[in-house]
Amino acid sequence: MKKRTVAIVAGGYSSEHDVSLRSAAGLLSFMDKEKYDCYIVDLERDGWTALYGDERCDVDKNDFSFVASDGRHAFDFAYITIHGTPGEDGVLQGYFDMIGMPYSTSGVLVEALTFNKFALNNFLRAQADFHVSPSFLFRKGEALPAAEDIVAALGLPCFVKPNAGGSSFGVTKVKDVAGVYPAIEKAWMESDEVMVEKLMTGTEVTCGAYLKGGEIVTFPITEVVTTQEFFDYDAKYNGKVDEITPARIAPETAQRVSETTKKIYRLLGCYGIIRVDYILDGKPGEEAIDLLEVNTTPGMTATSFIPQQVRAAGLDIADVLSDIIEGRLAP
């Protein structure tokens, strides 16, 4: 059987460009080399380049092919691992739909919705089965209400974050009224829309899931413990966090988190691997499950949550990736 050629599409146009390349390197190491020839494609604003051995080859955006010293190469599949635009917001998915290239993530609508935190929260809140934190949305150029009014509605501390962006940059835990406006200005550097959100307290956990043969499979849950103010860039990428898989939670709570993750996956119509972050609040075994975020292109380095969870499930990450690829390539 002829090997398929897979593009591991990374980089992107946000502050998480380099983080995405780390995920691409992880994916490259995980892929089944007996089945696939894999090459990283780095997307930058001034050009897209395929990394082909020692060569950096320009990608032809007409058909997503490239020409190297040994001739032209075309891809059979795109595995998207961009954290931020254009791979996490539906833009790249629309491009691939137009040229007929199968890819690893959900479609345009799902990606656009999950990337917009405020829109997603309000969509899920309307379903009545999910608990999300109260929040406000502020767009760049609009007049802001008084900081005192924001605090009166949401309390302190509260979180200020880019509404359309990852969760590593531009996020501030605001502890006093004076910090509200500077935090909004900081978040506006990452996104034209900013969400200010009521603080949720409790145990932070995260649960991954993917679709295999029409069945939604969830992975063992990870508990996130950090000495930082919150799970920020420093905690994620500089080791200032304990990631405990499986999480130290009651079995009945783990089951409810797993079922909630499946319900979100099914409701949104997702594809590929997603990761849903939660806060658990209340008596052990009876906690409220508060939704933090739905991540449709989660980190994929060797130490990222998803590979940890896959290992804890006793699965081979290469098999999981093959399931995702073949699920879209099957006739």
Side-chain angles (χ1 to χ4, degrees):
M1 182 176 173
K2 183 183 177 183
K3 292 169 74 172
R4 312 269 197 175
T5 304
V6 175
I8 301 175
V9 187
Y13 309 153
S14 77
S15 299
E16 296 193 79
H17 174 276
D18 291 351
V19 174
S20 169
L21 289 177
R22 296 185 215 172
S23 287
L27 284 165
L28 187 61
S29 71
F30 299 147
M31 288 285 185
D32 187 338
K33 306 305 190 299
E34 297 297 316
K35 290 182 178 179
Y36 310 113
D37 289 322
C38 303
Y39 306 103
I40 294 172
V41 177
D42 183 4
L43 270 59
E44 297 183 289
R45 288 195 183 277
D46 59 357
W48 299 1
T49 53
L51 310 185
Y52 186 72
D54 294 331
E55 300 180 63
R56 291 185 65 93
C57 309
D58 291 339
V59 171
D60 183 346
K61 295 178 185 178
N62 290 299
D63 60 3
F64 204 63
S65 66
F66 68 93
V67 176
S69 57
D70 60 353
R72 179 181 173 275
H73 297 266
F75 291 107
D76 299 302
F77 187 87
Y79 198 105
I80 301 171
T81 188
I82 292 175
H83 312 313
T85 190
E88 202 173 7
D89 57 0
V91 173
L92 192 59
Q93 286 77 6
Y95 161 76
F96 283 137
D97 285 342
M98 291 179 68
I99 66 169
M101 175 70 67
Y103 52 85
S104 60
T105 68
S106 308
V108 173
L109 178 60
V110 176
E111 295 297 320
L113 178 60
T114 53
F115 194 64
N116 188 307
K117 298 178 178 69
F118 189 78
L120 178 66
N121 282 2
N122 281 280
F123 173 77
L124 293 177
R125 184 183 288 116
Q127 311 308 309
D129 291 334
F130 307 103
H131 182 257
V132 297
S133 188
S135 59
F136 293 126
L137 180 71
F138 301 120
R139 295 184 174 90
K140 189 180 290 187
E142 294 181 348
L144 292 171
E148 291 80 3
D149 293 339
I150 297 173
V151 168
L154 300 178
L156 287 172
C158 63
F159 274 103
V160 177
K161 58 184 71 173
N163 183 50
S167 55
S168 297
F169 295 92
V171 182
T172 304
K173 183 178 181 180
V174 176
K175 298 181 179 179
D176 53 47
V177 173
V180 172
Y181 284 172
I184 292 174
E185 292 290 341
K186 176 183 175 181
W188 268 336
M189 294 175 67
E190 298 291 330
S191 170
D192 287 343
E193 295 182 339
V194 168
M195 185 168 75
V196 185
E197 188 175 41
K198 183 179 177 67
L199 174 70
M200 294 186 289
T201 59
T203 301
E204 183 169 351
V205 298
T206 185
C207 181
Y210 84 112
L211 192 67
K212 178 181 180 180
E215 177 189 356
I216 302 169
V217 177
T218 53
F219 303 129
I221 297 158
T222 300
E223 179 182 351
V224 184
V225 182
T226 179
T227 56
Q228 301 293 96
E229 284 285 350
F230 58 96
F231 189 49
D232 60 2
Y233 181 92
D234 205 22
K236 286 181 184 179
Y237 302 112
N238 294 323
K240 298 182 179 180
V241 64
D242 289 325
E243 301 168 1
I244 303 164
T245 309
R248 300 169 299 181
I249 57 180
E252 54 269 35
T253 300
Q255 182 64 28
R256 287 193 297 124
V257 170
S258 178
E259 290 303 318
T260 300
T261 303
K262 289 181 180 180
K263 190 178 296 184
I264 290 171
Y265 197 109
R266 188 177 301 110
L267 176 67
L268 294 174
C270 294
Y271 189 77
I273 297 174
I274 73 164
R275 199 191 74 228
V276 187
D277 303 337
Y278 304 95
I279 295 289
L280 304 178
D281 181 27
K283 182 179 177 181
E286 302 175 5
E287 299 97 331
I289 301 174
D290 300 328
L291 176 69
L292 271 178
E293 188 171 353
V294 177
N295 190 326
T296 59
T297 57
M300 292 297 288
T301 68
T303 58
S304 295
F305 289 128
I306 293 298
Q308 288 182 49
Q309 294 178 4
V310 170
R311 289 192 296 268
L315 301 173
D316 188 327
I317 186 69
D319 292 338
V320 172
L321 298 178
S322 294
D323 288 338
I324 292 167
I325 294 169
E326 298 304 322
R328 279 276 168 88
L329 290 176

